[in-house]
Amino acid sequence: MTTAPTPPPQHLSPAWADAESRATPPLVGDERELLTAFLDFHRETFALKCAGVPVERLSELAVPPSGLSLHGLVRHLTGAEQWWLEIQFAGDETRPLLYYSDDDPEQDFEHLDGDFAEALALWRAQVEISRRIVAEAPSLDATGTQKTTGRPVSLRRILLHMLAEYARHNGHADLLRERIDGSTGY
């Protein structure tokens, strides 16, 4: 008589209730497919970290002495999407910078008087612009112009930067969310 093998332990952290709404990045794919899938995963992770927070707490500076809030992070990530993909890669400077000016460079984090739902909708719209730009690019080797140096910057480099940007700020959002209402997870 043989017995069925014991399944391996799962070792999974508890998922948030809505975590299943994210598409899990594929285990196999070409570089572009994997980079964009992981970037979308991180984008939706950030959206989950903001979901369900009472509106009056979204601008709260919950981890003193940090000046970070979920509201500020959504504004910052909107600006990062615009700066890196729309302006530096695609070269489209027709719209003014979001939440930034040379005279007031910290608008994204310091001026939280706007409506969070509007800021989130603007972020989602900017993400769609970024997705379109990436989809239309002929390859990851295509380049834009880095504004600070005037040197070429590849789409591959920009996508890697955006992954790091979201990963870093998702960590911040983890801490903020846990301080706001005790929610933890991914």
Side-chain angles (χ1 to χ4, degrees):
M1 172 180 216
T2 61
T3 59
T6 304
Q10 292 300 308
H11 303 298
L12 300 175
S13 64
W16 286 18
D18 292 335
E20 299 304 317
S21 67
R22 294 176 299 180
T24 301
L27 296 175
V28 176
D30 65 28
E31 185 179 16
R32 184 185 203 129
E33 181 182 5
L34 291 171
L35 286 172
T36 57
F38 269 93
L39 182 53
D40 280 340
F41 182 84
H42 276 285
R43 287 168 171 151
E44 288 309 308
T45 297
F46 178 73
L48 285 171
K49 304 240 179 253
C50 296
V53 175
V55 69
E56 66 275 4
R57 302 209 59 197
L58 288 161
S59 298
E60 186 175 313
L61 307 180
V63 185
S66 171
L68 296 178
S69 67
L70 292 172
H71 192 170
L73 286 173
V74 76
R75 291 166 54 115
H76 175 75
L77 290 168
T78 303
E81 293 274 355
Q82 181 192 26
W83 176 249
W84 282 98
L85 288 153
E86 187 175 6
I87 294 173
Q88 294 195 109
F89 181 72
D92 184 353
E93 297 184 51
T94 57
R95 293 187 309 132
L97 289 171
L98 302 168
Y99 312 119
Y100 176 89
S101 71
D102 289 339
D103 294 333
D104 192 4
E106 298 296 326
Q107 294 175 35
D108 47 0
F109 292 116
E110 293 179 358
H111 301 285
L112 302 176
D113 51 350
D115 179 80
F116 178 81
E118 289 176 17
L120 188 64
L122 185 57
W123 170 72
R124 288 199 181 279
Q126 192 64 49
V127 164
E128 287 307 314
I129 291 168
S130 295
R131 285 184 180 128
R132 178 187 48 78
I133 289 167
V134 171
E136 291 174 357
S139 79
L140 294 176
D141 294 322
T143 60
T145 303
Q146 185 181 39
K147 296 299 179 192
T148 56
T149 65
R151 294 172 40 202
V153 59
S154 72
L155 179 58
R156 177 182 290 103
R157 166 59 169 80
I158 289 170
L159 290 175
L160 288 168
H161 175 85
M162 292 302 294
L163 278 165
E165 186 86 9
Y166 274 93
R168 177 175 49 253
H169 292 313
N170 278 338
H172 296 138
D174 275 335
L175 294 172
L176 290 164
R177 183 65 189 261
E178 187 172 7
R179 290 290 303 207
I180 289 169
D181 66 4
S183 295
T184 61
Y186 63 98

